[in-house]
């Protein structure tokens, strides 16, 4: 398992009965998680369950809402290594960051730093880039980054994270666009990338109403990405939370695309967060990594 266990400002305190108890800096949140199918006895539960600042309650009719037990800041900042991120409770239980992705940030940051290429000459494309965790990590490692997401609000948030991390003067392009159309245009423009990162949703819509369904679109998108990869690429990363898109499915896709064109090595595994109480690990989807040795 790829384990994100280097955090200081984030901590998964406990997990039981479909809920996770998390510390985000000084704020403690309770959020639902369908992977938590086990029960921790009341005697063994962390005492911090009673110290939560807010809880996200799902609605029986869909969606849900935050219930606050203490006054929450509108937003606050947490750090990972040299990076800083703005956090705030959002709809659909989110906070603006997926802490399990830190394991991937460390992985591709090491590749960029050890590539032997001058600073800013490793070009990275981050698709479905959300609030920019991977963008900030790649930029801090020395890459030039193109950040693409269909949601304008998420791209704005990513720019704010760049300012917090002191990366606002770094070479980062922010693009609000449908990722498939953007990759096709980059191919026509002749742009090339040494590393590609994507964290596709199971289902979504682009800014023009374009429909994305991962089982229908992912293979074709990766095929299109081959056209914008440099002659000597470094890495390719797909992260998925979609049930049914197993590691073996991703291995087959990589063998038919990346390995067929470039060779290289595949490493696919679950990604997870350690649970402080009880020594458990919470699985959080999986990551499919490809490197060109």
């Amino acid at each position: 398992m790829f384990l994100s266990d280097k955090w200081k400002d984030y901590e998964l305190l406990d997990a039981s009965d479909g809920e996770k108890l998390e510390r985000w800096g000084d704020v403690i949140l309770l959020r639902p998680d369908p992977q938590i199918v086990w029960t921790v006895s009341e005697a063994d539960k962390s005492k911090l369950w009673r110290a939560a600042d807010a809880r996200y309650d799902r609605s029986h009719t869909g969606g849900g809402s935050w219930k606050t037990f203490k006054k929450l800041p509108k937003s606050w900042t947490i750090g990972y290594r040299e990076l800083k991120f703005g956090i705030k409770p959002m709809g659909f239980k989110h906070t603006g960051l997926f802490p399990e992705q830190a394991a991937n940030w460390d992985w591709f940051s090491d590749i960029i730093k050890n590539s032997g290429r001058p600073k800013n000459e490793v070009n990275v494309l981050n698709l479905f880039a959300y609030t920019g965790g991977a963008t900030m990590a790649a930029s801090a490692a020395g890459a030039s980054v193109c950040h693409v997401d269909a949601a304008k609000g998420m791209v704005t948030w990513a720019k704010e994270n760049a300012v917090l991390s002191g990366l606002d003067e770094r070479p980062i392009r922010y693009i609000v666009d449908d990722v498939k159309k953007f990759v096709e245009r980059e191919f026509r423009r002749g742009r090339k990338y040494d590393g590609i990162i994507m964290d596709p949703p199971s289902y979504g819509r682009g800014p023009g109403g374009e429909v994305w369904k991962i089982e229908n679109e992912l293979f074709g998108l990766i095929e299109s990405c081959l056209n914008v990869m440099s002659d000597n690429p470094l890495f390719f990363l797909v992260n998925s939370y979609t049930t049914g898109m197993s590691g073996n499915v991703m291995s087959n896709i990589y063998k038919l695309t990346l390995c067929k064109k470039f060779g290289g090595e595949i490493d696919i595994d679950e990604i997870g967060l350690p649970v402080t109480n009880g020594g458990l690990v919470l699985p959080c989807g999986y990551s499919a990594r490809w490197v060109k040795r």
Side-chain angles (χ1 to χ4, degrees):
M1 176 176 276
F2 306 133
L3 197 61
S4 294
D5 58 357
K6 304 296 189 297
W7 280 96
K8 298 186 183 303
D9 282 0
Y10 171 85
E11 184 178 6
L12 179 51
L13 299 164
D14 207 351
S16 178
D17 288 320
E19 286 189 305
K20 53 189 175 184
L21 180 71
E22 305 167 291
R23 178 180 62 82
W24 298 82
D26 295 327
V27 178
I28 297 179
L29 301 178
L30 269 170
R31 297 193 295 159
D33 192 305
Q35 293 277 48
I36 304 170
V37 298
W38 58 86
T39 298
V40 177
S41 70
E42 288 301 319
D44 293 331
K45 270 188 173 183
S46 168
K47 294 179 181 179
L48 292 173
W49 286 90
R50 295 186 290 273
D53 296 286
R55 177 183 195 171
Y56 187 86
D57 289 326
R58 287 194 182 279
S59 169
H60 295 300
T61 58
S65 61
W66 286 95
K67 180 180 180 181
T68 57
F69 307 116
K70 302 172 186 176
K71 185 173 177 59
L72 282 182
K74 184 177 180 181
S75 64
W76 64 98
T77 301
I78 69 169
Y80 182 76
R81 300 193 188 276
E82 71 270 42
L83 305 174
K84 300 290 183 183
F85 302 103
I87 302 297
K88 59 185 175 183
M90 301 163 57
F92 299 101
K93 77 177 182 179
H94 295 304
T95 61
L97 194 67
F98 294 94
E100 64 272 13
Q101 289 302 314
N104 284 326
W105 304 340
D106 290 344
W107 172 73
F108 62 68
S109 292
D110 286 344
I111 293 174
I112 293 167
K113 291 174 183 176
N114 296 323
S115 67
R117 303 181 190 184
K119 190 173 183 179
N120 301 337
E121 292 192 15
V122 173
N123 294 308
V124 172
L125 177 61
N126 186 14
L127 303 173
F128 309 99
Y130 196 52
T131 61
T135 294
M136 302 311 132
S139 178
S144 296
V145 186
C146 182
H147 174 111
V148 186
D149 198 279
K152 184 177 180 180
M154 296 298 102
V155 175
T156 299
W157 197 336
K159 292 178 181 179
E160 293 169 356
N161 283 334
V163 173
L164 289 173
S165 295
L167 299 170
D168 45 313
E169 299 298 321
R170 296 278 301 134
I172 304 174
R173 284 196 299 153
Y174 298 95
I175 308 293
V176 179
D177 203 351
D178 174 73
V179 297
K180 295 185 297 180
K181 292 181 178 180
F182 178 78
V183 170
E184 291 166 0
R185 282 195 290 271
E186 289 292 86
F187 172 57
R188 292 194 293 269
R189 288 187 282 249
R191 288 206 174 102
K192 299 290 183 179
Y193 296 92
D194 305 298
I196 296 181
I197 302 162
M198 64 172 75
D199 196 347
S202 300
Y203 177 85
R205 289 188 179 274
E210 303 88 347
V211 175
W212 166 272
K213 293 181 71 175
I214 192 169
E215 64 271 22
N216 297 337
E217 307 290 351
L218 183 61
F219 183 79
L221 177 59
I222 292 176
E223 280 192 312
S224 295
C225 285
L226 297 181
N227 296 324
V228 298
M229 294 186 76
S230 65
D231 293 335
N232 189 24
L234 295 173
F235 67 90
F236 201 107
L237 170 67
V238 175
N239 192 75
S240 177
Y241 299 92
T242 304
T243 56
M245 291 294 292
S246 70
N248 283 333
V249 169
M250 281 307 308
S251 178
N252 291 339
I253 292 174
Y254 275 9
K255 287 175 182 176
L256 290 168
T257 54
L258 292 154
C259 294
K260 185 176 180 180
K261 183 170 183 178
F262 297 110
E265 299 175 6
I266 302 170
D267 190 9
I268 301 175
D269 207 341
E270 286 187 296
I271 192 165
L273 287 164
V275 182
T276 300
N277 186 45
L280 305 178
V281 174
L282 176 65
C284 306
Y286 71 88
S287 294
R289 299 171 174 179
W290 173 89
V291 289
K292 177 67 159 56
R293 297 299 185 190

